[in-house]
Amino acid sequence: MVQDEELLVAVLNSAPIEDGTRTEELDGAAGRELALRFGGTGSPAELRRLRELRDALHRVVRDHDDPADALGPLLADAVLTPTVTSGGIRWEPRTSPDDRLAVRTAMAWSAVTEELPGRLRACANTACNLFLLDHSRPGTAKWCSMAACGNRAKARAHASRRRSS
Ligand SMILES: [Zn+2]
């Protein structure tokens, strides 16, 4: 598993659509809880940075925007510093505490893109705002979850087949 993979997926999936309306989970108590779970500060400034980064990642992953345009400006001030141990070198972002989680999320996106190319995708349900990181061997997963979107799509396909026959 890529470092901070869970953080990346949690941030990407923090604006789910419920009853046709886009909701915001990187805000208020829910946002604070998410940030603290991953070692963030939970401050309003941190959540604002995370929302900006999430929206940029949505454009990159779903709309295939140029990452240099979408992410570059958000990372302009990021600096990595090495911690050398007997196990190797660990690179950690040196940022203000409120920026750290957003930088870690961007680094996780980068690692996933390199190590699992093509496996991070938007849910195939266009009315869904969630993403999936496909760890299946064939790599053909289409839905954020079978329960939420897969079964519904299958039911629709079945109904339209019945209508057309
Ligand atoms: Zn979905």
Side-chain angles (χ1 to χ4, degrees), residues 124-125 142-143 146 148-160:
N125 175 4
K142 288 165 71 178
W143 317 104
M146 194 39 93
C149 289
N151 287 335
R152 235 176 284 168
K154 280 188 180 158
R156 263 199 307 276
H158 182 69
S160 73

Side-chain angles (χ1 to χ4, degrees), residues 40-56:
T41 66
S43 74
E46 177 179 66
L47 294 178
R48 194 163 53 242
R49 295 279 287 153
L50 279 173
R51 288 195 298 270
E52 285 174 2
L53 185 83
R54 177 199 61 207
D55 294 348

